[in-house]
């Protein structure tokens, strides 16, 4: 075997779409990791989440023969063919945020396992409404697998786990990561369910829009919004007291870890087998589960007291 | 020497045309009432004052955008950059407000209106003076404006905490129990309707769209009329963009994406003919209310999301078909020939 | 216009060829990877789906009509194919069925536009939503991915030493076929004559309604074929397939020199425009230029493409002072 | 050359036209036209179709720019940019075909461009409606000004147009064939208005093809021929014969050589009880092989509608059509062409030809299928056919690849002929085949039609040109108000008898 290279890799990264702060943060985190490790990282992508454009971007990546590709998949199956082609050329493929078909990538750096995500959102909901009540979901679309999984597990937990049994799930609506649509859906949900207590959204676009809808329609104190949101987007509502808690993780660090993982794999220092541990000195140690799923698993809950500490 | 008797031989046709033309908006209202009653029977949550207020608020901004679209449609043109104009206006305004903490309400209103007007004028130049077909010209500016928004934003969004608090609270305010947004929207639609109805400029819009050749015979400057229609459209998109930003709170680069189609759909449902010359902005605004009612009713009825898309599409086709029936009646009554 | 109107088009095609070469040369300086056979052939795959739509749209545009529902017909097609695949229908049977479903959707548009004389933009705006809604309603929420390899062959395989994508050959055949139809057969001639003057065409014995319906059906069928390629390329069938790609398609058709008012243009221009847009996007992509910049370039090209006749007319106006104002008023 | 009959009593001219010239691309529409128009007098303007009359109106009112010459109004050279400007200077016109805004009300159509203003610059609707009602009353119409224009009859359109022209302080009123769509009673009403205007000192230009109107109304007459000014004379100095001579350039007899007696065969086109609701009713006639059947009538009588119904443009509501012994129900031109019927439309530029296309493509459009092998158009054969056709019909053109819109009117008509005859029809309907084409081409067209009939074609010739109709036809049918009212054999027909029949009104008046 030839001598293993340990540095100077060429990494290419594409998010679902560029121009969205969450993904831009993951890109910056990844770039920081690459710089530290002596690699180069190129971050590019289309300006809207269209799978054919993402495939085109990946195709262009493959042509440029990088050592590693990092992506958040729009449609995990649709990108699989081009990813397989990349792997066949010896390129290491790592997904983050949203996974691709298992055969198409070497590892998936999962921000939170589906169950973790479901639990942290319910925990946030418990801060909002400790007495429980009706909850409704806003997801991006029925075709986004992680949102669908979150909703399924949350529904499950509200029936099985004592802590969460105070909640009953009454509705699910889709708003396609569109802020105005989310706003209208939130308003319509409050109309449709007069006893509604919490609106939970795993879309970082919908959660702030729901908070805004509650504030604007005079439902403050009666209905709560929660779910995943960037602290900057919901800071206002926490600070003015109209909302109590949201959840998320650190997207910058997620990107950092994803790039780190791909680098370590390239350098031969990390093999994403079940049970293997990825050691990222600045972020922590992360365990690998079945199907090369590396769980980052550091949920954050933002409240009025803590939201000021985050600058993203 | 035969016209008088031959017309007398087809009585009724002219009356039908007039009745239909006059009742076009009334027809939309009737449709709306029927829709409302249907939803009301299906779910008792629909016909509450509160829910109807909700529907009206949801429709409020779209109504303004539809109004903008209608002005251009009346001149027998089209603007598919409506959403992009709103997005660019909203982003630039929000960004300005976020970076200039001392900003006054006057500036917050003036900036988007100015930007909107300029964007509309660019469209107007291309279509009226550059003689570029409206669809193509505005498809181009649709990507140009949106692309510019992205490039300017650099992956940032303007979050609600960065906006002056009064900007958000002022759209939440209520007067006499009605959200101010609804009142503003009604006021704008009413003013525009009045301008189009009562002012020579408004009448020229209809004239140019009704019969371009006749407009030429009458000595109207069609270019100028079309240009100003686009300027007015941009101006209204400025208002709509500002209200949108204040309503949702978080201003992203994709703001109002796809609104070109919703505004077009509202106008068409509201009886504004894509062949020009007929329809009113009130109709277009009512069309927006129809769309919002469908949205709201289907959520209340828990109809799956996908049916909404289908029902809205079908509603558009139905509205166009009704329009064609009217046009056919006009054709028959004027003795115009078929192909 | 005068006699030179005809000779203008080849000129435009030449300009497109020059632009393609320039864009290619520029791309090769942007990226050292650009000039490889694999890359060049492989990159064409990104334009085959919009390309098939553009061929159909060009036929519709030659009539002076438009169809913005074509991308939604792809979604109908992919979902239909997923149903057939799930039912275990062999691909050889399923493929023609999907193409036929596309043709049916197109014919429905055509019926509304030609027979009922509804404005095509408004009609296809409606059916754009309705078709996609249907695709979503019919398809399951999460989409379908369990396609058999045979189903994927058309969109994912390569021939001739694994270099030339099968779908490229399909596109080449379709392009040649549509070119032949529009420029060599009576049908094409009738299409263009309808685009120039539907009344006179009808008086000359052209079955205007029939020709239009067939044009829409053809565009729909090509969208159905594009659905087959889609499934092959992406292995995934969902209601949101090909959402938002119609802008690119319209751009290609207009940049290719098709007059949006009908009656003029060539299919070779459209194919060249596809190549030009493809080359530019490929080059920008290899240079890792961001999506927004690409969007701006696309919009700019579109406006430039349509300002071309306007500019030509302006020049003509300057050089020939005598003009008919009425003719211009009628051109409105 | 421009001679103004100098009579000392007549008032000084208000409008002077000086050496006006105008071209539309290759088409010369006006050349060196000069004459004067005086207040308180009606100035007739006559000339054959295409003589440039309407173009002159457009130039005076600022719709078209003259290439040469000038318009002098009340001593000052003027060049209006829009008709609104012209109206502000007291010049109003009723154009040849009424063009109104169908979606707007009558009142708005009348006021367009000169709205009465009310509060804050709004349109004062009440004033607008009152004014409109007033003006309508002046032309003797009691139409409701609030009605939309869509739905008005042609005559009502015309009255709205005239009311519109009156709605400003007119010093010069131009009427371009105002009576062509009116019944005699309506026309009389209009002329009463014109007389009262004249008596109040308005200068009036009246364009008409009806020579009796010239006799009844005009004080002066200007004749245009072949785009040029021929003469301006006081009405007293001209009679009908002289007018015709001036317009046509030679005596009537010399213009139309009568056709030799033809040999006539079997019925080719037989029409039985054909009706189209509200347009024409129970029309029956037949045309035999080798026969030219003329169809006369006033403009708007329904001749074109009958022809177009036969050709399948508008399917009939009742009756049957028998072509070569086979019954057909006309549904579309495609079907009728296949059955051997061809129709040369009256509006050549709109319906007869695809103007931006080449001669070849125009000629072969109806017969593409027969020129194709396996759906592929034989382009060489197509060109050969076009070349031989354009030789046969003497189309003056550099090549058959020339765009039709670049040809002159007469040559366009020949291309249209070539196109229809390429379909090898058994029966041919010609609708105003010489409308708007020059004398030379006209004679060629006549010769061509005669030749076709001699070859055994059945020809139905619709023409508003009486001398032409009389000279060409073997038999003449007269249509009035959508009904076949008279039939004349070749030798019975005279201008007078045909006119009398054509002017018949329902109820037997006139
Ligand atoms: N816009 C135009 N473009 C090209 N040629 C034109 C145009 N308008 C008129 N012409 C031509 O100019 C000539 C004069 O036309 P004009 O309409 O003035 O005749 P006219 O005397 O009014 O005839 P008619 O009695 O038929 O109304 C004709 O040969 C006509 O074909
Ligand atoms: N532009 C029009 N708008 C409304 N009605 C029309 C129009 N043209 C013709 N008509 C109506 O159609 C009927 C028949 O007209 P048509 O043109 O067939 O008459 P025609 O005898 O051929 O006269 P022309 O010499 O003008 O061709 C008339 O009753 C007339 O009122
Ligand atoms: Mg005339
Ligand atoms: Mg006629």
């Amino acid at each position: 075997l030839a001598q293993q290279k340990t540095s100077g890799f060429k990494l290419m990264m594409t998010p679902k779409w560029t121009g969205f702060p969450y993904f831009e943060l993951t890109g910056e985190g990844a770039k920081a990791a690459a710089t530290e490790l002596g690699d180069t990282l190129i971050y590019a992508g289309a300006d809207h989440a269209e799978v054919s454009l993402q495939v085109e971007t990946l195709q262009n990546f493959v042509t440029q023969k990088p050592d590693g590709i990092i992506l958040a998949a729009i449609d995990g199956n649709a990108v699989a063919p081009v990813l397989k082609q990349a792997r066949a050329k010896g390129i290491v493929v790592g997904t983050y945020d949203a996974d691709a078909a298992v055969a198409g990538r070497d590892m998936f750096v999962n921000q939170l396992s589906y169950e973790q995500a479901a639990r942290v959102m319910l925990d946030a909901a418990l801060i909002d409404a400790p007495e429980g009540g009706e909850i409704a979901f806003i997801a991006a679309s029925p075709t986004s697998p992680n949102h669908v999984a979150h909703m399924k597990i949350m529904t499950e937990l509200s029936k099985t786990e004592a802590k969460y049994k105070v909640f009953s799930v009454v509705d699910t609506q889709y708003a396609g990561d569109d802020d105005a649509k989310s706003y209208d859906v939130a308003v319509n949900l409050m109309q449709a369910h007069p006893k509604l207590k919490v609106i939970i959204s795993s879309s970082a676009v919908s959660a702030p829009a729901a908070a805004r809808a509650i504030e604007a329609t005079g439902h403050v104190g009666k209905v709560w919004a929660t779910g995943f949101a960037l602290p900057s987007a919901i800071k206002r509502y926490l600070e003015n007291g109209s909302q109590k808690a949201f959840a998320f993780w650190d997207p910058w660090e997620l990107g950092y870890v994803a790039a780190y993982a791909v680098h370590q794999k390239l350098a031969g220092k990390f093999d994403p087998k079940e049970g293997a541990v990825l050691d990222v000195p600045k972020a922590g140690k992360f365990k690998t589960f079945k199907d090369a799923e590396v769980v980052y698993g550091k949920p954050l809950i933002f409240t009025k007291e803590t939201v000021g500490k985050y600058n993203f | 020497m035969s016209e008088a008797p031959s017309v007398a031989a087809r009585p009724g046709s002219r009356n039908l045309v007039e009745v239909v033309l006059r009742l076009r908006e009334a027809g939309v209202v009737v449709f709306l009432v029927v829709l409302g009653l249907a939803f009301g029977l299906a779910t008792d949550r629909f016909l509450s004052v509160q829910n109807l207020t909700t529907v009206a608020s949801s429709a409020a901004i779209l109504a303004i955008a539809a109004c903008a679209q209608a002005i251009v449609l009346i001149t027998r043109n089209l603007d598919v950059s409506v959403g992009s104009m709103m997005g660019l206006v909203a982003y630039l305004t929000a960004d300005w407000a976020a970076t200039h903490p001392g900003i006054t309400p006057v500036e917050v209103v003036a900036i988007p209106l100015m930007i909107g007007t300029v964007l509309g004028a660019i469209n107007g130049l291309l279509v009226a003076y550059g003689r570029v077909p409206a669809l193509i010209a505005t498809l181009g500016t649709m990507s140009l404006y949106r692309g510019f928004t992205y490039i300017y934003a650099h992956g940032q969004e303007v979050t609600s905490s960065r906006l002056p608090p009064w900007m958000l609270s002022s759209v939440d305010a209520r007067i006499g129990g009605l959200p101010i947004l609804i009142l503003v929207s009604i006021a704008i639609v009413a003013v525009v309707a009045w301008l189009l109805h009562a002012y020579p400029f408004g009448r020229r819009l209809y004239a140019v769209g009704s019969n371009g050749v006749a407009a030429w015979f009458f000595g109207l400057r069609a270019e100028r009329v079309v240009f100003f229609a686009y300027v007015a459209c941009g101006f209204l998109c400025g208002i709509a963009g500002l209200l949108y930003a204040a309503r949702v709170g978080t201003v992203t680069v994709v703001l109002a994406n796809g609104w070109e189609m919703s505004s077009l759909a509202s106008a068409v449902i509201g009886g504004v003919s894509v062949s020009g010359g007929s329809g009113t902005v009130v109709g277009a605004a009512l069309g927006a209310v129809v769309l919002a009612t469908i949205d709201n009713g289907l959520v209340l009825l828990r109809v799956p999301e996908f049916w909404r898309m289908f029902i809205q599409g079908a509603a558009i086709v139905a509205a166009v078909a009704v329009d064609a029936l009217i046009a056919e009646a006009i054709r028959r009554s004027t003795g115009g020939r078929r192909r | 216009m005068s006699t030179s109107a005809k000779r203008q088009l080849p000129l435009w095609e030449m300009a497109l060829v020059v632009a393609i070469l320039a864009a290619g040369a520029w791309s090769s300086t942007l990226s050292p990877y650009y000039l490889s056979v694999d890359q060049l052939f492989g990159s064409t795959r990104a334009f085959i789906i919009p390309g098939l739509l553009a061929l159909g749209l060009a036929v519709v545009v030659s009539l002076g009509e438009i169809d913005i529902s074509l991308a939604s017909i792809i979604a109908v097609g992919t979902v239909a194919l997923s149903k057939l695949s799930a039912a275990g229908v062999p691909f050889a049977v399923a493929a023609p069925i999907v193409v036929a479903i596309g043709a049916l959707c197109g014919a429905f548009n055509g019926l509304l536009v030609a027979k009922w004389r509804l404005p095509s933009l408004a009609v296809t705006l409606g059916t754009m939503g309705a078709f996609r809604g249907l695709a979503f309603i019919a398809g399951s929420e999460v989409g379908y991915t369990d396609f058999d390899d045979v189903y994927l062959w058309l969109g994912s395989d390569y021939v001739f030493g694994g270099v030339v994508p099968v779908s490229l050959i399909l596109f080449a055949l379709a392009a040649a076929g549509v070119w032949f139809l529009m420029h060599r057969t009576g049908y094409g001639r009738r299409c263009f004559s309808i685009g120039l003057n539907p009344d006179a065409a009808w008086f000359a014995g052209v079955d205007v309604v029939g020709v239009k319906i067939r044009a829409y059906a053809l565009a729909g069928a090509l969208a159905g074929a594009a659905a087959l390629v889609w499934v092959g390329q992406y292995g995934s069938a969902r209601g949101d397939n090909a959402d938002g790609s119609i802008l690119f398609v319209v751009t290609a058709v207009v940049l290719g020199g098709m007059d949006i008012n009908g009656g003029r243009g060539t299919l070779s221009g459209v194919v060249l425009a596809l190549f030009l847009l493809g080359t530019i996007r490929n080059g920008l992509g290899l240079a890792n230029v961001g999506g927004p910049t690409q969007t701006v370039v696309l919009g700019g090209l579109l406006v430039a493409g349509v300002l071309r006749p306007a500019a030509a007319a302006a020049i003509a106006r300057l050089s020939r002072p005598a003009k008919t104002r009425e003719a211009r008023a009628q051109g409105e | 050359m421009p001679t103004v009959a100098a009579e000392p009593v007549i008032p000084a001219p208000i409008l002077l036209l000086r050496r006006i010239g105008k071209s539309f691309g290759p088409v010369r529409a006006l050349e060196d036209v000069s004459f004067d128009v005086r207040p308180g007098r009606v100035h007739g303007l006559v000339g054959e179709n295409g003589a440039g009359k309407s173009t002159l109106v457009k130039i005076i009112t600022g719709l078209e720019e003259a290439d040469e010459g000038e318009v002098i109004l009340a001593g000052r050279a003027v060049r209006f940019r829009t008709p609104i400007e012209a109206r502000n200077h007291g010049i109003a016109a009723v154009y040849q075909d009424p063009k109104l805004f169908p979606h707007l009300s009558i009142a708005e159509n009348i006021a367009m461009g000169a709205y009465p203003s009310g509060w804050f610059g709004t349109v004062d609707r009440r004033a607008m409606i009152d004014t409109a009602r007033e003006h309508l009353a002046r032309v003797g119409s009691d139409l409701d000004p609030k009605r939309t224009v869509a739905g008005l009859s042609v005559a009502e359109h015309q009255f709205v147009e005239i009311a519109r022209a009156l709605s400003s302080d007119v010093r010069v009123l131009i009427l371009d064939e105002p009576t062509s769509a009116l019944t005699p009673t309506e026309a009389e009403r209009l002329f009463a208005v014109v007389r009262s205007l004249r008596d109040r000192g308005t200068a009036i230009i009246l364009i008409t093809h009806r020579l009796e109107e010239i006799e009844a109304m005009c004080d002066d007459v200007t004749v245009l021929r072949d785009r040029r000014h021929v003469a301006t004379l006081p009405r007293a100095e001209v009679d009908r014969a002289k007018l015709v001579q001036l317009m046509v350039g030679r005596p009537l007899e010399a213009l139309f050589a009568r056709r030799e007696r033809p040999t006539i065969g079997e019925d080719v086109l037989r029409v039985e009880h054909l009706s189209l609701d509200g347009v024409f009713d129970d029309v029956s006639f037949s045309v035999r092989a080798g026969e030219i059947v003329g169809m006369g009538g006033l403009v708007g009588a329904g001749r074109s509608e009958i022809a177009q119904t036969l050709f399948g443009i508008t399917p009939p509501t009742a009756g049957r059509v028998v072509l070569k012994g086979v019954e057909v129900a006309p549904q579309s031109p495609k079907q009728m062409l296949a059955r051997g019927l061809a129709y040369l439309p009256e509006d050549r530029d709109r319906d007869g030809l695809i103007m931006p296309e080449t001669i070849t493509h125009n000629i072969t459009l109806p017969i593409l299928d027969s020129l194709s092998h396996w759906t592929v158009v034989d382009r060489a054969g197509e060109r050969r056919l076009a070349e031989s056709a354009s030789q046969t019909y003497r189309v003056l053109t550099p090549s058959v690849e020339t765009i039709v819109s670049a040809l002159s009117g007469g040559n366009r008509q020949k291309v249209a002929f070539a196109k229809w005859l390429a379909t090898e029809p058994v029966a041919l309907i010609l609708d105003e085949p010489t409308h708007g084409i020059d004398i030379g081409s006209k004679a060629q067209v006549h010769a061509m039609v005669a030749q076709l009939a001699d070859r055994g074609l059945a020809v139905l010739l619709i023409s508003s040109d009486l001398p032409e109709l009389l000279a060409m036809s073997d038999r003449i049918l007269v249509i009035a108000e959508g009904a076949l009212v008279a039939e004349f054999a070749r030798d019975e027909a005279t201008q007078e008898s045909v006119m009398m029949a054509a002017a018949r009104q329902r109820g037997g008046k006139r």
Side-chain angles (χ1 to χ4, degrees), chain D residues 49-254:
Chain D
N49 295 129
K53 305 179 296 290
S54 302
T55 307
L56 196 59
V57 177
K58 290 180 185 164
I59 287 173
I60 296 173
T61 56
L63 277 176
E64 296 285 3
E65 258 172 84
D67 299 338
E68 299 117 36
E70 57 183 2
V71 178
I72 299 163
L73 178 68
R76 279 209 353 247
V78 287
R79 184 165 274 233
F80 302 120
R81 277 169 303 160
T82 68
I84 293 181
E85 231 177 77
R87 278 178 66 180
N88 293 339
H89 285 81
I91 301 186
V94 175
Y95 298 100
Q96 188 164 6
D97 7 59
K99 289 198 171 76
L100 296 172
F101 303 109
H103 302 90
L104 304 186
S105 71
I106 293 175
E108 278 196 74
N109 269 281
I110 291 179
M112 182 62 66
Y115 285 116
S117 56
W119 294 356
F120 305 110
T122 56
V123 176
D124 182 346
R125 276 182 191 259
R126 188 163 305 158
M128 181 173 86
I129 289 168
D130 289 344
T131 324
R133 189 169 287 125
E134 232 172 78
H135 288 295
L136 285 168
R138 274 171 75 188
V139 294
S141 163
D142 58 354
L143 283 169
D144 178 2
K146 281 179 281 194
R147 275 181 56 181
T148 36
V149 162
L152 297 187
S153 73
V154 181
E156 287 166 336
H157 261 87
Q158 193 75 33
F159 274 104
V160 173
E161 282 264 358
I162 295 163
R164 198 187 117 66
L166 297 184
S167 68
S168 49
D169 267 338
V170 277
R171 292 196 280 174
V172 180
L173 175 66
I174 308 172
L175 303 165
D176 193 351
E177 301 195 27
T179 54
S180 61
L182 302 187
T183 62
T185 336
E186 290 164 340
E188 197 34 61
R189 219 161 72 202
L190 169 69
F191 284 137
V193 181
V194 171
R195 282 193 203 99
S196 81
L197 278 171
R198 177 197 63 192
D199 295 344
R200 276 186 284 147
T202 309
I204 289 152
I205 300 177
L206 176 67
I207 297 172
T208 180
H209 284 296
R210 297 183 182 173
L211 299 185
E212 68 276 13
E213 289 178 4
I214 298 283
E215 287 170 347
M217 291 295 301
C218 297
D219 303 302
D220 307 294
V221 187
T222 290
V223 182
L224 300 184
R225 186 206 317 148
D226 293 349
R227 294 144 193 96
R228 286 171 183 278
H229 179 252
V230 176
T232 298
L233 300 165
R235 155 76 189 86
E237 288 177 24
V238 286
D239 57 14
R240 253 185 218 218
K242 176 141 193 219
L243 221 45
V244 171
Q245 166 104 41
L246 283 172
M247 275 165 68
V248 189
R250 54 191 134 155
L252 262 182
E253 280 66 15

Side-chain angles (χ1 to χ4, degrees), chain D residues 274-277 280 309-310 312 314-321 328-331:
Chain D
L274 199 71
S275 301
L276 182 62
D277 280 353
F280 59 85
T309 296
L310 286 174
T314 332
T317 43
R320 40 187 239 135
V321 176
V328 269
Q331 289 298 328

Side-chain angles (χ1 to χ4, degrees), chain B residues 228-288:
Chain B
F228 281 109
Y230 275 97
V231 171
C233 175
F235 180 87
L236 288 173
C237 287
I239 301 180
L242 172 69
L243 291 175
Y244 189 123
R247 179 170 188 240
V248 182
T250 312
V251 181
T252 62
V253 287
V254 295
L255 183 141
N257 215 350
W259 273 46
E260 54 284 345
M261 293 303 170
S262 337
S263 61
L264 193 56
S266 307
V268 167
I269 289 175
V272 180
S273 163
V274 291
S275 343
S278 82
T280 64
V281 291
V282 174
L286 286 171

Side-chain angles (χ1 to χ4, degrees), chain A residues 182-192 199 213 217, chain B residues 54 58 247:
Chain A
S182 311
Y183 182 103
D184 285 338
V185 163
V187 174
N188 285 339
L189 279 173
M190 290 185 270
Q191 285 306 320
I199 298 173
T217 56
Chain B
T54 301
S58 301
R247 179 170 188 240

Side-chain angles (χ1 to χ4, degrees), chain C residues 32-299:
Chain C
Y33 310 103
Y34 180 77
L35 281 180
S36 85
V37 178
D38 276 14
Q39 197 296 124
L40 286 175
F41 275 112
S43 72
T44 58
R45 287 183 45 188
F47 308 102
I48 283 161
I49 290 167
L52 287 169
L53 297 192
L55 294 177
L57 184 63
V59 177
V60 172
V61 165
S62 78
L63 297 163
E65 304 285 356
I66 189 129
D67 188 347
I68 57 172
S69 73
L70 290 173
S72 297
I73 296 180
I74 290 192
V76 172
T78 57
V79 169
L81 192 63
S82 74
K83 297 280 157 198
L84 294 165
S85 157
V89 178
F91 184 68
V93 178
I97 293 179
V98 167
V99 172
I101 289 174
L104 219 61
C105 291
F108 179 70
N109 282 334
L111 202 70
L112 292 174
V113 170
K115 189 97 186 159
W116 292 17
R117 307 223 183 94
L118 305 183
S120 55
L121 177 69
V123 164
T124 54
L125 170 72
T127 55
M128 176 174 83
F131 289 157
R132 197 168 286 286
L134 271 184
F136 268 120
I137 293 164
S140 69
E141 300 205 321
V142 287
Y144 178 91
T145 56
D146 291 339
F147 288 104
D148 199 53
D149 273 355
V150 199
Y151 273 70
L152 307 183
W153 170 79
L154 193 57
S156 62
D157 244 351
Y158 292 80
V159 289
F160 301 129
V163 172
V164 181
V166 177
S167 51
L168 182 61
I169 292 173
L170 173 77
F171 174 75
L173 289 176
V178 177
W179 177 88
F180 187 80
L181 181 73
M182 293 306 288
H183 298 300
R184 286 292 176 273
T185 70
Y187 177 79
R189 192 72 73 65
R190 291 188 189 103
C191 286
F192 284 113
S193 69
I194 291 173
L196 289 172
N197 185 342
D199 285 337
W202 200 55
F203 272 77
V206 174
D207 173 13
V208 175
V209 172
V211 169
K212 281 193 179 178
I213 292 179
R214 273 177 277 163
Y216 272 94
L218 173 65
L222 285 166
L228 301 177
V229 177
W230 178 284
V231 165
Q233 278 192 5
Y234 306 122
S236 161
R238 312 201 307 199
D240 60 356
N241 285 163
D243 199 0
S245 54
I246 198 70
L247 166 66
F248 182 80
V249 176
V250 175
T251 306
V253 169
V254 173
L255 199 63
M258 293 297 301
D259 184 340
I260 199 79
N261 297 315
R264 293 188 186 287
T266 62
L267 262 295
S268 37
V270 172
V271 172
L272 286 172
L274 278 166
F275 273 101
L276 175 62
L277 291 171
T279 311
I280 291 174
R281 234 164 72 175
N282 188 212
L284 291 174
L286 284 179
N288 301 307
V289 170
T293 312
Q294 296 196 25
T295 303
V296 168
V297 170
L298 198 68

Side-chain angles (χ1 to χ4, degrees), chain B residues 1-4 6-7 10 331 333-337, chain D residues 152-155 157 180-181 278-280 296-308 346 350 431-432 435 462-464 479 481-482:
Chain B
M1 352 202 110
S2 60
E3 284 69 30
S6 69
V7 167
R10 316 164 246 172
R331 183 193 67 72
S333 70
T334 51
R337 296 179 330 170
Chain D
L152 297 187
S153 73
V154 181
H157 261 87
S180 61
V279 182
F280 59 85
L298 296 178
V299 169
R303 294 164 299 167
S304 299
E305 294 280 348
I306 293 171
Q308 293 184 3
E346 74 184 319
R350 189 186 63 192
D431 198 350
E432 310 284 3
H435 185 103
I462 299 174
S463 176
S464 300
I479 306 288
E481 291 177 15

